[in-house]
Amino acid sequence: MPTRSPVMPSEKELRQLAATRRRRQVQRRRASALGALGVLVLAVSIAIEAGSSGQGRKDGSAAPHVAVVPPPGEATRRRLAAESRAIDHVMDYASFIASGGGTKREIALTFDDGPGPYTPQVLRILRQFHVKATFFEVGFMERWFHSSTTKALQEGHTIGDHTERHAKLARLKRPEQREQIVSQAEWLEKLGAPRPRLFRPPFGSFDARTFRVLRNNEMLMVLWSVDSQDYRRPGAKAIVRRVLGAAKPGAIVLLHDAGGRRSQTVAALPEIIRKLRKRNFKLVTVPQLIMDDPPPPGQRLPRYRGVG
């Protein structure tokens, strides 16, 4: 049988073959780059997981060098003492606060889940508008972003406790709840902050055991009356609209400076401040709100759903 002569590819087929080879080369380079990125992401995830587990906590090996806040001056000590007395007064008749009394045109802006990459931007805006706020912070985030905590303290903001690892406390036994709360309090003390008197439960999750732990540690639970829902990232305009729509005297506004991408919150914050002030609201910390406009006895305990 005669041997069949090989057919030479046409010029068009040669161009197609060359294009296919180029695509495959690009795909291999992309795969290589993604592989390297995957290794980096995995390494970072492992580092964060190790940090959040609390390993190395006793000897400080898991924590970076910490810049401690200088001791407060006399004026700051007097302010802190007055705030502590006001908190003690509220704790004589209540175990939580969801808003002030509503007798003065004051509103407290609060930020959860920090410190984080967006916290410096939030602090810069607050500094620009001469506003003091309250930050409820997560312990393991201090390992990487504690400089924002020390900056917030130096600028007169209030720092509260938001657990060590942003835990849903109602799912935990009492000793585990205590560990979550006390570990973050110890972190703040390590940074030179006063031992926190205010606590906010992540996800609005708590139970009777939470209140017992807080009472034993002389801490008041701070909930909220206005949920900006910024954790859903609905857009800066929607965040502004939700805050303004629910704003009233004594309100405590829930915002976030960490726990995800917070560029929308940063974009919304100046407009929130400007428009609240246009309505003649004074923006204060939660302790200042408690001093000026304490909540009445018998506030209803809110039930939160779908909280970030």
Side-chain angles (χ1 to χ4, degrees):
M1 181 180 293
T3 304
R4 187 174 181 180
S5 301
V7 178
M8 293 296 294
S10 66
E11 185 177 348
K12 180 179 179 181
E13 290 172 328
L14 288 172
R15 286 198 300 269
Q16 290 174 340
L17 287 171
T20 300
R21 291 193 190 98
R22 285 195 297 271
R23 284 198 300 271
R24 287 174 179 172
Q25 288 173 351
V26 170
Q27 289 170 352
R28 283 195 294 269
R29 285 196 294 268
R30 286 177 178 174
S32 178
L34 288 173
L37 179 61
V39 172
L40 176 60
V41 170
L42 179 60
V44 172
S45 301
I46 292 171
I48 292 175
E49 183 65 21
S52 64
S53 68
Q55 294 177 358
R57 192 61 183 277
K58 297 301 182 181
D59 61 3
S61 59
H65 172 71
V66 174
V68 177
V69 179
E74 181 60 30
T76 300
R77 284 197 294 270
R78 287 198 299 268
R79 173 178 61 82
L80 293 173
E83 291 175 353
S84 187
R85 289 192 296 270
I87 293 169
D88 286 337
H89 171 67
V90 171
M91 290 186 68
D92 285 340
Y93 64 85
S95 56
F96 71 93
I97 174 176
S99 67
T103 62
K104 294 192 176 182
R105 293 190 70 79
E106 293 186 350
I107 287 179
L109 299 181
T110 67
F111 297 87
D112 283 13
D113 297 355
Y118 294 90
T119 306
Q121 298 177 57
V122 171
L123 289 173
R124 184 163 56 251
I125 293 169
L126 296 175
R127 189 183 317 120
Q128 175 187 350
F129 286 92
H130 305 286
V131 172
K132 304 301 181 190
T134 305
F135 292 83
F136 290 96
E137 296 189 342
V138 178
F140 83 88
M141 296 296 289
E142 305 287 2
R143 290 168 169 77
W144 296 278
F145 303 104
H146 60 272
S147 60
S148 290
T149 300
T150 57
K151 187 68 173 176
L153 289 166
Q154 290 172 323
E155 295 184 353
H157 302 288
T158 296
I159 306 296
D161 191 321
H162 200 45
T163 74
E164 172 70 13
R165 293 190 297 275
H166 204 263
K168 288 188 175 181
L169 295 181
R171 297 180 177 180
L172 303 180
K173 297 179 180 178
R174 184 177 174 184
E176 295 169 325
Q177 291 196 29
R178 181 187 179 281
E179 175 63 22
Q180 285 288 325
I181 295 168
V182 173
S183 291
Q184 167 59 346
E186 291 173 348
W187 243 114
L188 294 177
E189 285 189 306
K190 182 178 181 180
L191 294 172
R195 191 170 183 85
R197 299 295 313 276
L198 304 178
F199 171 80
R200 174 169 286 165
F203 307 101
S205 173
F206 55 88
D207 57 19
R209 294 169 295 185
T210 313
F211 286 116
R212 287 196 292 270
V213 172
L214 295 178
R215 175 64 63 176
N216 290 340
N217 286 275
E218 300 182 325
M219 298 171 74
L220 175 67
M221 183 181 290
V222 178
L223 300 172
W224 57 91
S225 59
V226 179
D227 185 357
S228 68
Q229 296 190 30
D230 60 341
Y231 57 89
R232 297 182 183 274
R233 301 202 292 275
K237 290 183 179 179
I239 295 170
V240 173
R241 188 165 55 247
R242 284 173 178 151
V243 172
L244 296 177
K248 61 182 180 179
I252 298 177
V253 179
L254 172 62
L255 295 156
H256 295 79
D257 62 318
R261 295 177 182 174
R262 299 298 172 227
S263 57
Q264 293 181 6
T265 304
V266 171
L269 186 55
E271 192 73 3
I272 289 172
I273 294 171
R274 279 192 290 262
K275 290 193 173 181
L276 287 177
R277 281 182 167 166
K278 192 173 182 179
R279 297 184 185 182
N280 296 318
F281 282 112
K282 180 182 179 182
L283 302 178
V284 298
T285 64
V286 171
Q288 187 70 50
L289 181 67
I290 290 173
M291 287 195 295
D292 296 344
D293 188 20
Q299 273 195 347
R300 284 189 172 187
L301 189 64
R303 296 295 180 185
Y304 301 119
R305 294 172 182 264
V307 177

